[in-house]
């Protein structure tokens, strides 16, 4: 069996997000940065009815109070104005056939994947593991505090589960940045 893993690290700015899909709200320990990670590892989503309970201080006025994404308490949101377009996609070629999967609230939804394999969270970490519909690839997102105060870090690992060599392996993460107080 050919086994290939790719690990990518990405630091995210101040973050928070969705409750429309199952997920978890994270807070940087002792910080003002919040992040809600959906089961499939993407951010952005709709605000729960108990939003005020999620944040230790009153929220500033945000232009789209029905949704939050990348959020820093006292400043506001940086990704929900315009669209909930934060998301990711991964894929690879196997013997000439390309398989892919991805997740974004407003850019195609959840595509090409089997039901969530695993999702777990604490108050400041989350882990999501998903497979392509045919099981060829597994994508794992591990999110937690970085060594930089109030900044979250994400590690992405892609694993080839098939008997074939994976070629043209791709992983992309997108964000539509609309940083407060001057979005767009």
């Amino acid at each position: 069996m050919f086994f290939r893993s790719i690990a990518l690290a990405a630091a995210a700015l101040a973050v928070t997000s969705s409750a429309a899909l199952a997920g978890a709200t994270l807070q940087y320990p002792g910080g003002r940065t919040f992040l809600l990670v959906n089961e499939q590892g993407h951010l952005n989503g709709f605000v729960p009815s108990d939003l005020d309970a999620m944040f230790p201080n009153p929220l500033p006025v945000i232009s789209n109070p029905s949704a939050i994404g990348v959020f820093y308490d006292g400043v506001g949101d940086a990704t929900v104005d315009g669209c909930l377009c934060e998301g990711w996609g991964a894929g690879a070629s196997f013997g000439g056939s390309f398989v892919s999967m991805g997740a974004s609230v407003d850019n195609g939804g959840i595509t090409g994947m089997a039901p969530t394999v695993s999702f777990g969270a604490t108050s400041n970490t989350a882990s999501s593991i998903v497979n392509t519909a045919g099981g060829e690839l597994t994508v794992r997102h591990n999110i937690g505090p970085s060594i930089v105060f109030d900044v979250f870090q994400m590690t992405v690992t892609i694993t080839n589960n098939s008997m074939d060599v994976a070629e043209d392996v791709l992983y992309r993460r997108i964000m539509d940045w609309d940083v407060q107080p001057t979005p767009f």
Side-chain angles (χ1 to χ4, degrees), residues 13-178:
L13 293 176
V15 232
T16 244
S17 190
S18 156
L21 304 171
T25 303
L26 312 181
Q27 179 180 6
Y28 192 93
R32 296 166 50 191
T33 301
F34 294 85
L35 169 64
L36 187 131
V37 181
N38 293 303
E39 276 185 319
Q40 297 80 12
H42 60 299
L43 311 178
N44 280 353
F46 299 99
V47 172
S49 58
D50 63 345
L51 174 67
D52 291 334
M54 290 172 49
F55 300 97
N57 302 309
L59 288 173
V61 175
I62 57 177
S63 60
N64 184 358
S66 65
I68 53 178
V70 174
F71 190 90
Y72 189 75
D73 187 32
V75 175
D77 196 87
T79 62
V80 300
D81 288 311
C83 66
L84 303 182
C85 296
E86 193 284 336
W88 65 271
S93 293
F94 295 93
S97 296
F98 191 77
V99 297
S100 65
M101 65 176 149
S104 175
V105 175
D106 282 348
N107 284 343
I110 311 302
T111 60
M113 68 180 71
T116 300
V117 173
S118 175
F119 181 80
T122 68
S123 63
N124 56 31
T125 65
S127 178
S128 165
I129 303 171
V130 295
N131 291 320
T132 52
E136 301 90 347
L137 295 176
T138 297
V139 175
R140 179 183 191 122
H141 294 92
N142 287 319
I143 300 118
S146 75
I147 61 171
V148 177
F149 184 73
D150 253 358
V151 175
F152 278 95
Q153 173 178 299
M154 179 181 296
T155 301
V156 178
T157 305
I158 302 172
T159 304
N160 177 1
N161 301 317
S162 79
M163 298 297 287
D164 297 323
V165 173
E167 298 176 346
D168 302 320
V169 179
L170 298 172
Y171 179 88
R172 293 191 177 146
R173 188 127 201 148
I174 59 159
M175 288 199 186
D176 174 27
W177 291 107
D178 294 306

